[in-house]
Amino acid sequence: MKLPRLVVSATCAVTLSAATVVAAAASASAATVNYVALGDSYSSGTGTGSYDLDSACQRSSRAYPAKWAAAHSPASFTFAACSGAKTGDVLNNQLSALSSSTSLVSITIGGNDAGFSSVMQTCVLSSDSSCVSAVNTAKNFADTQLPGLLGNVYSAIKSKAPNARVVVLDYPHLYITNDSGCIGMSHTKHVALNSAADELDTVTSQAATKAGFTFADVRGQFSGHELCSGDGWLNSVTIPIGSSYHPTATGHASGYLPVFSGKTALAAASKS
């Protein structure tokens, strides 16, 4: 049914007005935000191709935390995320960046605890059955061990930064499901790896919700931009090998950043 032009115009105006309010609230509140970015390589920027902020931890100005800070000019920004980090590394090496004045925290963590790197190596170099077995082992770890590990990290964040809004981001699918024309690993491996991401993301979502944190799911944003899509936002096998299967600079700018920005904008609007 075609709506009268006046109704359409009014609807557009209301939509535009709402979007303007959200954006304005986010911009105004950012000036008082003390932001700390925690986590692993998916937050530090591994795979973006430039580690201009810290080469040891592969922190990049192209990563979503740095891009958010550059766009919003928070009162302070501490980039503590580090490539290769596990939950224990966050507890031991990153939480010192937090304080009672911290008002915003982002984090991706858990993939290294579940053995992401070794699973990918097995799937790239070995048979379908070996890949599926490695994935199943990682999924079992995610189900049985990871909830407690994430709970410890989230509890420590709440203790160190009691006034912060914490946004927990997850991991995207690596491959499209319609992969008939894809060269490289088999369909069986693609499905197994995506199922591992789903298991990890489900466990992360449950732990974040239990802690009272905001969960930000990036899988929808990356949909259609996985490997083999023809417009991928992820690295395949690369040199250096450590960048493999991580988001590209576009993956951070067009994948992670909009999801994170959406959560922070809504939070700002709700407080205005």
Side-chain angles (χ1 to χ4, degrees):
M1 181 177 67
K2 186 175 181 180
L3 295 174
R5 181 175 300 178
L6 181 60
V7 175
V8 173
S9 299
T11 301
C12 291
V14 170
T15 302
L16 178 60
S17 176
T20 302
V21 168
V22 171
S27 177
S29 65
T32 62
V33 167
N34 295 302
Y35 172 34
V36 178
L38 306 174
D40 55 22
S41 55
Y42 273 67
S43 287
S44 70
T46 299
T48 60
S50 174
Y51 310 119
D52 51 333
L53 301 182
D54 184 289
S55 58
C57 279
Q58 298 188 339
R59 297 185 188 119
S60 175
S61 60
R62 299 176 179 177
Y64 78 86
K67 291 186 74 66
W68 188 92
H72 293 84
S73 300
S76 68
F77 170 51
T78 304
F79 203 173
C82 190
S83 180
K86 296 182 178 181
T87 52
D89 297 306
V90 174
L91 290 171
N92 297 325
N93 304 323
Q94 298 184 20
L95 293 190
S96 61
L98 302 177
S99 70
S100 58
S101 65
T102 303
S103 55
L104 177 64
V105 175
S106 65
I107 185 170
T108 57
I109 200 68
N112 291 319
D113 292 84
F116 172 82
S117 294
S118 61
V119 169
M120 290 307 309
Q121 182 175 344
T122 298
C123 289
V124 169
L125 300 176
S126 302
S127 65
D128 284 3
S129 60
S130 295
C131 175
V132 171
S133 178
V135 165
N136 287 338
T137 298
K139 289 166 69 172
N140 181 65
F141 181 93
D143 288 338
T144 60
Q145 303 298 316
L146 192 57
L149 296 173
L150 292 176
N152 291 338
V153 170
Y154 297 163
S155 177
I157 291 174
K158 290 174 72 174
S159 178
K160 293 278 289 183
N163 302 310
R165 179 177 183 85
V166 182
V167 180
V168 178
L169 298 97
D170 62 355
Y171 304 93
H173 285 162
L174 294 178
Y175 288 94
I176 60 171
T177 53
N178 182 20
D179 56 1
S180 58
C182 191
I183 299 173
M185 288 194 293
S186 68
H187 175 76
T188 296
K189 291 178 178 180
H190 296 169
V191 171
L193 289 169
N194 283 350
S195 73
D198 285 336
E199 198 76 19
L200 184 59
D201 293 350
T202 296
V203 170
T204 301
S205 173
Q206 292 172 345
T209 300
K210 184 177 180 180
F213 294 165
T214 298
F215 177 68
D217 192 345
V218 302
R219 285 171 292 183
Q221 189 72 16
F222 274 83
S223 180
H225 300 284
E226 303 92 338
L227 293 172
C228 297
S229 66
D231 186 23
W233 293 349
L234 296 148
N235 291 289
S236 185
V237 178
T238 62
I239 301 298
I241 194 69
S243 295
S244 303
Y245 302 105
H246 284 80
T248 62
T250 301
H252 277 271
S254 299
Y256 273 90
L257 181 60
V259 174
F260 180 57
S261 297
K263 295 297 183 180
T264 58
L266 288 173
S270 67
K271 294 179 181 179
S272 63

